[in-house]
Amino acid sequence: MEEPLVRPTSLTREAAGLRAGTPGLPEYVDRLCALVERVDPLIHAFVPEPGRHGRLRAQARELAARYPAPAGRPPLYGVAVGVKDIVRVDGLPTHGGSALPPGVLAGPQAAVVDRLRAAGALVAGKTVTAEFAATAPGPTRNPHHPGHTPGGSSSGSAAAVAAGLVPLAVGTQTVGSVIRPAAYCGVVGFRPTYGRIPVDGVIPNAPSLDTLGVFTADLAGAALAASVLCDDWRPVAEGPEPVLGVPDGPYLERAEPAALRAFEEQLERLAAAGLAVRRVGLFPDFAELVRQLQFVNRFELARSHADWFARFGGLYRPETVAGIRVGQAVAAEDRAAALRFRERLRDRVAAAGAAAGVDLWLAPSATGGAPEGLHSTGDGAMSLPWSFLGRPALSLPAGRTREGLPLGLQVVGAAGGDERLLAQAAVLERVLTGR
């Protein structure tokens, strides 16, 4: 492991410094670009961009001229942000990790990028994605162990934050594409309630599931980013210590023994700190839940790509082709039945949580540490039910495997309760980090 590859930086500190003028934007941009040039060839987090330095210098000059006085600077003034390459950014091509001809995927800038730029952020560049945010991995390596996957499909965004190239990056999650790479790369990943950040201008995978999320070094950074990006953000006080629910049953059994051992150790630490931990049987029909989500996911993937695939199917990678072919065979009635299944599941999970007095559900963020090799982005099973339900979730760095691979603790809140989730998770972060 090359230790210099792992050095995430605090978004809140970096944003505060830039607003105060320390460092100035020209110095910050020069340092950023030098770091990308030195480190990114080792991890491939960013899509290559000729002229990156000149573009950022020009945008920094415009930003500095617009906000000459520190007191009037917006919350993300000058902050460099990585943006997953299925999210459209004016002035940068969108390839979606694919070989489709330039311009085919073009369109208006994404609303999330409008919000970033209105908050003063500089788009450092496009981050590598699995092809069309599905399963065919990109070239990104895990900064902790470059021979291992960083996870997917938001691989470049997670790796860019873990390596300290940027303090904030945007990803998307359809099933596990924010929470899992955050865990594999040892950073915080936050996936808000479905629909809380508009997905206009994002290449769709499965529109009934697709959700924008963020990667940061710590929870405070995720809260700052969420306040800028989420609709109608209303911060809440931390409040009373949360009651923690553990979803016992077939779902948790999908995790590897090492991940479960670490999870139990985390639960013991939280209980020793005085937090109530309650075990609740949940998702007894987990295999059926997986099947129903796949009906929705594959059906919508095929429909999202119907036009592009008809024209350029020969340029798609085999993994994506396989997913689209499966989706083409899913009947519309099966997808509709799966969405009805989801509504019933939402009611059951809400009732189980209320009966047990659970504020936050806890689970491993991934089935284990990052797998060796770059041929797979890993298993998204631990995120799957929460993504299907559309609930907000985050991954907190929490321990390592014996091989030194990062692990994450997944914390899940109530639908629409993103502010409460981030506030209450601060208690967990303090216990787990000792800070």
Side-chain angles (χ1 to χ4, degrees):
M1 180 179 72
E2 294 287 344
E3 189 59 35
L5 293 183
V6 183
R7 47 179 177 191
T9 58
S10 163
L11 171 60
T12 53
R13 284 200 299 270
E14 195 146 299
L18 286 163
R19 288 196 304 273
T22 54
L25 284 189
E27 177 189 349
Y28 178 70
V29 166
D30 290 348
R31 193 168 65 199
L32 163 70
C33 291
L35 186 62
V36 170
E37 288 172 10
R38 184 171 72 252
V39 174
D40 201 50
L42 305 175
I43 61 171
H44 307 290
F46 279 100
V47 175
E49 180 197 343
R52 185 192 313 272
H53 197 173
R55 174 181 65 81
L56 286 171
R57 287 278 296 204
Q59 292 178 2
R61 284 194 299 270
E62 294 172 5
L63 189 64
R66 195 179 316 141
Y67 300 105
R73 289 171 178 166
L76 298 182
Y77 174 81
V79 170
V81 180
V83 177
K84 185 175 180 177
D85 191 28
I86 61 165
V87 180
R88 297 186 179 102
V89 177
D90 286 350
L92 295 176
T94 298
H95 297 288
S98 77
L100 269 63
V104 167
L105 305 174
Q109 178 166 277
V112 67
V113 180
D114 291 340
R115 293 182 182 188
L116 285 168
R117 286 181 158 164
L122 296 173
V123 176
K126 290 295 197 75
T127 52
V128 171
T129 175
E131 185 180 52
F132 295 121
T135 57
T140 308
R141 295 176 174 271
N142 192 311
H144 291 265
H145 284 264
H148 291 245
T149 178
S153 60
S154 304
S155 49
S157 291
V161 170
L165 301 181
V166 290
L168 171 63
V170 172
T172 64
Q173 179 159 313
T174 302
V175 177
S177 298
V178 169
I179 299 300
R180 184 173 77 258
Y184 286 175
C185 292
V187 297
V188 169
F190 173 55
R191 195 282 321 277
T193 297
Y194 171 80
R196 194 75 194 268
I197 303 175
V199 293
D200 310 51
V202 179
I203 296 173
N205 181 316
S208 295
L209 303 169
D210 295 343
T211 306
L212 282 154
V214 296
F215 299 89
T216 57
D218 54 29
L219 200 54
L224 173 58
S227 71
V228 167
L229 299 179
C230 290
D231 285 337
D232 304 319
W233 190 260
R234 296 180 178 88
V236 298
E238 195 170 288
E241 291 183 342
V243 174
L244 309 175
V246 179
D248 278 341
Y251 161 63
L252 275 189
E253 292 165 7
R254 290 289 295 268
E256 298 167 7
L260 286 176
R261 282 195 300 271
F263 180 55
E264 292 298 332
E265 291 170 3
Q266 293 152 18
L267 294 177
E268 289 174 7
R269 290 178 64 184
L270 294 167
L275 294 168
V277 178
R278 298 176 183 170
R279 295 182 180 270
V280 182
L282 203 66
F283 307 130
D285 52 353
F286 186 66
E288 181 62 15
L289 192 162
V290 173
R291 193 172 79 95
Q292 296 294 335
L293 176 139
Q294 288 176 343
F295 280 145
V296 176
N297 192 353
R298 295 295 184 257
F299 177 94
E300 294 188 1
L301 175 69
R303 297 314 180 274
S304 295
H305 285 267
D307 177 60
W308 293 322
F309 190 66
R311 295 160 60 200
F312 304 106
L315 299 178
Y316 280 64
R317 292 175 61 183
E319 301 95 323
T320 314
V321 171
I324 290 173
R325 294 294 188 205
V326 169
Q328 290 172 336
V330 174
E333 296 78 19
D334 288 336
R335 180 223 179 217
L339 292 175
R340 291 193 296 273
F341 174 93
R342 178 170 70 174
E343 292 308 309
R344 295 192 298 272
L345 182 66
R346 282 174 172 162
D347 292 341
R348 293 205 308 270
V349 173
V358 168
D359 297 306
L360 302 174
W361 293 101
L362 302 185
S365 296
T367 55
E372 188 171 3
L374 304 180
H375 57 281
S376 166
T377 62
D379 186 342
M382 303 316 295
S383 292
L384 187 147
W386 313 113
S387 294
F388 196 31
L389 296 171
R391 286 191 170 216
L394 58 89
S395 180
L396 296 176
R400 290 176 179 267
T401 67
R402 290 191 178 97
E403 298 75 28
L405 294 162
L407 295 169
L409 176 67
Q410 185 174 196
V411 189
V412 182
D418 306 66
E419 294 91 339
R420 179 68 61 191
L421 167 63
L422 286 169
Q424 292 183 322
V427 179
L428 281 61
E429 185 181 53
R430 285 197 297 272
V431 172
L432 295 174
T433 63
R435 294 197 296 268

